[in-house]
């Protein structure tokens, strides 16, 4: 497997760990100006008990030191959970509010000067940009619903169990929502839960799933498997799976494969069309920065999104369960789905004639008219992505995460009180590194990080996830994080020792 070179090999420990080194890296970074597209919370913002931004400190005054420290920007490394707010989101949402206030229902239809697209067409307006982020044709993507709901909608089309092929394969440590979704799809089709095959690594407590292991489990169950559902990037370990190779392997065995791209979208460049992925779904609130719980997105390969007029000779058996419900002389043939009016052709939507004629492509999977508020927020996020390309972001991300890794592996102590569980091969990971702490340290470490205005997230009992997002994180952020984190570990170890002594144990 291809493994990029360590970009920091040969640099002395002293130089690598200096603030000056981080500063120079930021100066060289062609994407550094994109940070200004985001609101970076200050330490005071994070501590403020009221909602909203804390007042910015201009004059230091007598208590200036603490106040100016609090007005420092925080170190936000949590884009794997919730991305930061783009500055333009507020402006776009204000436009949405003004349009609604001043135009009411006309906001659906009217093209307004300096306005956002009419709400009726907002889904089409953002297709092209969304498609670029995931490497798809615009017709293959649609921004709609939320991730788990979309996985269900897609499985309702793509999981069609038969007597011979009925199993669903997922990974053993799948995000719980995916596990529940797959299990409930089996139940929905009266297939026993034992048909859920979970891929676990040898040994089972290892966070790493080798490609060989994944392929061999798929091969083992190939004859009886209807669907494989995997994450592009694993939420816990940060492992980036070989989507192209695994998809190809499934297709060789006649198996349909879908991908949960929650942690991959906006993080790594994807080529869903070229990789022949059958379907995929994602959320827009992590690396996409669309806002908490905002509307998600889905992909259906053009091979599966076709809507064709049936050839009469094909006869009812040939069409089997592919039949549409159009009751006109023209019989439409398309992949079955759970349908709603928004998936039906725009020209027919307001005819109210109960003839479902799906829009060709992913849009034909829509159910309801989408929240224009959500779409506006996603539009702001996509406009930030349009200022660069996924390839350029990845180039920065590889270097920034390699810097984080190199810094974490340089220890001020003799022995590191943690280890990185994300693969060390950069082509097997995105921005995130997951760090497994020695037992008993997590609570103290998280408390100190929060106090110092450093935001990462935890996965109990002992893991923290650290994700430098290339759109807004800097080398100085990483430098600051590592310093605060290693000091936090030192204090946490002291506390554990002190507690042990208090309990009469040998320290
Ligand atoms: C990998 C993965 N899958 C599914 C979900 C569930 O997403 P939603 O609540 O948007 O359905 C998440 C949420 O964080 C996730 O990380």
């Amino acid at each position: 497997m291809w493994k990029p070179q360590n970009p920091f090999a040969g640099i002395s420990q002293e130089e690598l760990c200096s603030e000056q080194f981080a500063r120079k890296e930021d100066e060289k970074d062609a994407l550094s100006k994109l940070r200004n597209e985001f609101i970076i919370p200050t330490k005071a913002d994070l501590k403020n008990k009221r909602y909203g931004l804390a007042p910015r400190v201009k004059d230091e005054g007598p208590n200036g030191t603490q106040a100016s420290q609090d007005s420092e920007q925080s170190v936000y490394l949590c884009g794997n959970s919730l991305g930061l707010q783009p500055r333009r989101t507020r402006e776009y949402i204000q436009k949405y509010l003004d349009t609604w206030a001043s135009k009411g229902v006309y906001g659906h239809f009217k093209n307004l000067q300096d306005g956002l697209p009419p709400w009726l067409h907002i889904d089409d307006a953002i297709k092209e940009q969304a498609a670029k982020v995931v490497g798809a044709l615009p017709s293959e993507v649609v921004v709609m619903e939320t991730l788990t709901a979309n996985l269900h909608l897609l499985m309702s089309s793509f999981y069609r169990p038969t007597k011979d092929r009925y199993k669903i394969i997922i990974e053993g440590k799948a995000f719980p929502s995916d596990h529940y979704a797959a299990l409930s799809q089996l139940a929905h089709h009266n297939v026993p839960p034992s048909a859920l095959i979970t891929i676990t690594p040898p040994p089972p407590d290892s966070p790493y799933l080798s490609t060989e292991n994944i392929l061999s489990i798929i091969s083992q169950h190939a004859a009886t498997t209807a669907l494989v559902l995997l994450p592009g990037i694993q939420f816990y370990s940060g492992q980036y799976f070989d989507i192209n190779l695994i998809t190809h392997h499934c297709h060789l065995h006649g198996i349909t494969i879908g991908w949960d791209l929650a942690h991959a979208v906006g993080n790594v460049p994807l080529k869903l069309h070229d990789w022949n992925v059958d379907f995929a779904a994602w959320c827009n609130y992590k690396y996409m920065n669309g806002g908490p719980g905002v509307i998600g997105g889905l992909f259906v390969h053009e091979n599966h999104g076709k809507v064709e007029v049936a050839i009469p000779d094909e006869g009812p058996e040939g069409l089997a369960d592919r039949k549409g419900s159009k009751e006109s002389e023209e019989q439409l043939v398309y992949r079955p789905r759970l349908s709603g009016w928004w998936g039906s052709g725009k020209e027919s939507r307001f005819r109210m004639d109960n003839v479902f004629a799906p829009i060709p492509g992913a849009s034909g999977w829509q159910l309801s008219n989408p929240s224009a508020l959500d779409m506006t927020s996603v539009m702001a996020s996509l406009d930030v992505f349009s200022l660069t390309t996924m390839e350029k972001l990845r180039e920065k991300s590889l270097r920034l995460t390699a810097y984080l890794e190199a810094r974490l592996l340089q220890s001020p102590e003799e022995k590191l009180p943690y280890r990185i569980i994300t693969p060390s091969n950069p082509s097997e990971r995105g921005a995130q590194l997951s760090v497994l702490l020695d037992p008993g340290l997590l609570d103290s470490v998280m408390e100190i990080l929060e106090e110092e205005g450093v935001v990462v997230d935890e996965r109990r009992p002992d893991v923290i996830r650290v994700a430098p997002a290339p759109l807004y994180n800097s080398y100085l952020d990483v430098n600051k994080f590592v310093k605060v984190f290693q000091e936090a570990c030192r204090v946490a170890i002291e506390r554990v020792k002190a507690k042990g002594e208090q309990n009469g144990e040998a320290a």
Side-chain angles (χ1 to χ4, degrees):
M1 185 184 286
W2 172 77
K3 188 170 174 177
Q5 297 281 308
N6 170 8
F8 304 106
I11 296 175
S12 74
Q13 175 168 353
E14 196 188 348
E15 187 185 351
L16 190 73
C17 298
S18 68
E19 189 176 312
Q20 200 194 5
F21 182 82
R23 208 174 286 283
K24 277 196 185 146
E25 286 293 315
D26 281 331
E27 280 164 16
K28 282 194 292 187
D29 171 14
L31 300 186
S32 62
K33 60 182 183 307
L34 292 175
R35 182 176 172 94
N36 297 331
E37 290 289 326
F38 292 86
I39 301 174
I40 316 282
T42 62
K43 282 161 100 177
D45 288 334
L46 295 176
K47 285 183 185 163
N48 191 0
K49 295 235 168 22
R50 281 177 58 88
Y51 83 92
L53 301 175
R56 268 39 185 168
V57 176
K58 290 201 182 86
D59 180 358
E60 286 194 7
N63 297 324
T65 317
Q66 184 56 43
S68 64
Q69 269 176 16
D70 283 353
S71 70
E72 251 177 54
Q73 285 181 337
S74 64
V75 174
Y76 192 88
L77 296 167
C78 210
N80 57 300
S81 179
L82 179 68
L84 286 180
Q85 187 183 121
R87 285 186 192 282
R88 62 182 74 207
T89 304
R90 184 181 294 265
E91 177 203 330
Y92 287 34
I93 287 183
Q94 192 59 54
K95 277 192 183 178
Y96 153 83
L97 289 172
D98 291 345
T99 305
W100 179 24
S102 61
K103 299 285 184 284
V105 73
Y106 292 154
H108 277 304
F109 319 105
K110 300 252 176 187
N111 269 311
L112 300 169
Q113 239 179 348
D114 300 327
L116 302 168
W119 300 323
L120 195 58
H121 302 299
I122 203 163
D123 49 347
D124 287 337
I126 63 179
K127 262 172 183 298
E128 203 161 309
Q129 285 166 295
K132 273 194 191 140
V133 175
V134 296
L137 304 175
S139 62
E140 291 173 318
V141 299
V142 62
V143 175
M144 61 178 268
E145 309 294 338
T146 49
L147 174 51
T148 309
N150 283 334
L151 287 175
H152 272 301
L153 290 172
L154 289 163
M155 283 196 274
S156 82
S157 280
F158 287 92
Y159 176 56
R160 317 285 298 173
T162 64
K163 193 166 63 56
D164 298 326
R165 282 186 182 261
Y166 52 90
K167 289 179 184 165
I168 300 180
I169 300 181
I170 61 171
E171 41 127 8
K173 300 241 172 67
F175 193 84
S177 206
D178 295 29
H179 191 105
Y180 307 149
L183 207 53
S184 59
Q185 283 288 329
L186 295 175
H188 184 66
H189 289 277
N190 291 321
V191 177
S194 55
L196 187 70
I197 305 301
T198 53
I199 307 175
T200 44
D205 58 345
S206 156
Y208 182 68
L209 275 183
S210 72
T211 307
E212 295 68 37
N213 186 17
I214 297 172
L215 300 186
S216 102
I217 305 268
I218 293 171
S219 300
Q220 206 180 311
H221 294 275
T224 45
T225 295
L227 179 74
V228 172
L229 178 68
L230 288 174
I233 291 186
Q234 217 279 348
F235 77 97
Y236 177 78
S237 67
Q239 183 182 347
Y240 177 18
F241 295 106
D242 192 333
I243 299 178
N244 190 15
L245 184 65
I246 298 169
T247 299
H248 182 66
H249 185 79
C250 284
H251 289 171
L252 284 180
H253 289 284
I255 300 170
T256 300
I257 178 157
W259 292 90
D260 172 345
L261 300 177
H263 290 261
V265 66
N267 181 3
V268 289
L270 299 162
K271 293 195 167 77
L272 300 185
H273 176 82
D274 291 350
W275 294 340
N276 266 317
V277 161
D278 293 308
F279 70 87
W282 56 91
C283 54
N284 281 309
Y285 46 78
K286 297 177 185 289
Y287 296 95
M288 293 304 298
N289 314 306
V294 79
I295 196 164
L298 65 78
F299 165 92
V300 174
H301 198 279
E302 70 169 346
N303 297 338
H304 303 298
K306 291 185 181 133
V307 178
E308 289 165 333
V309 176
I311 304 160
D313 295 356
E314 210 178 332
E317 270 175 26
L319 293 175
D321 68 347
R322 299 189 297 141
K323 240 185 231 175
S325 61
K326 197 174 179 195
E327 288 162 13
S328 65
E329 63 293 347
E330 226 179 40
Q331 186 79 53
L332 293 181
V333 183
Y334 52 86
R335 182 167 280 271
R337 65 200 66 189
L338 294 178
S339 314
W341 75 314
W342 221 253
S344 196
K346 277 190 181 172
E347 62 298 340
S348 68
R349 246 181 224 163
F350 293 94
R351 274 210 302 263
M352 307 292 168
D353 60 3
N354 290 345
V355 176
F356 181 69
I359 303 169
S363 291
W365 267 260
Q366 290 175 104
L367 297 181
S368 302
N369 77 102
S371 153
L373 176 57
D374 275 37
M375 293 298 252
T376 302
S377 197
V378 172
M379 180 178 272
S381 139
L382 287 168
D383 280 356
V384 176
F385 274 88
S386 293
L387 301 173
T388 182
T389 61
M390 281 311 301
E391 285 67 30
K392 286 188 183 150
L393 282 172
R394 176 66 166 160
E395 202 183 313
K396 171 171 174 185
S397 179
L398 282 168
R399 193 169 171 85
L400 193 57
T401 296
Y403 173 63
L404 170 63
E405 180 185 42
R407 289 294 312 275
L408 281 171
L409 296 177
Q410 303 275 3
S411 169
E413 310 293 329
E414 237 168 61
K415 180 188 163 296
L416 288 172
Y418 54 80
R419 74 185 166 88
I420 299 170
I421 57 169
T422 305
S424 61
N425 180 352
S427 62
E428 286 187 279
R429 67 189 187 201
Q432 171 189 330
L433 292 185
S434 303
V435 181
L436 177 68
L437 304 179
D438 284 353
L441 303 185
L442 185 77
D443 284 340
S444 290
V445 166
M446 287 304 286
E447 184 195 310
I448 296 165
L449 292 180
E450 184 173 344
E451 180 54 34
E452 293 296 321
V454 174
V455 186
V456 297
D457 77 356
E458 64 184 25
R459 280 286 171 261
R460 293 199 161 259
D462 297 312
V463 165
I464 63 165
R465 302 186 298 178
V466 189
L471 268 177
Y472 50 78
N473 282 125
S474 63
Y475 289 82
L476 278 172
D477 280 341
V478 171
N479 173 61
K480 175 89 185 289
F481 161 74
V482 176
K483 285 204 162 128
V484 174
F485 171 65
Q486 290 186 332
E487 174 59 14
C489 287
R490 194 190 61 75
V491 174
I493 292 167
E494 294 284 309
R495 287 184 188 169
V496 169
K497 274 191 195 153
K499 213 167 154 192
E501 276 164 17
Q502 247 176 27
N503 294 341
E505 295 167 20

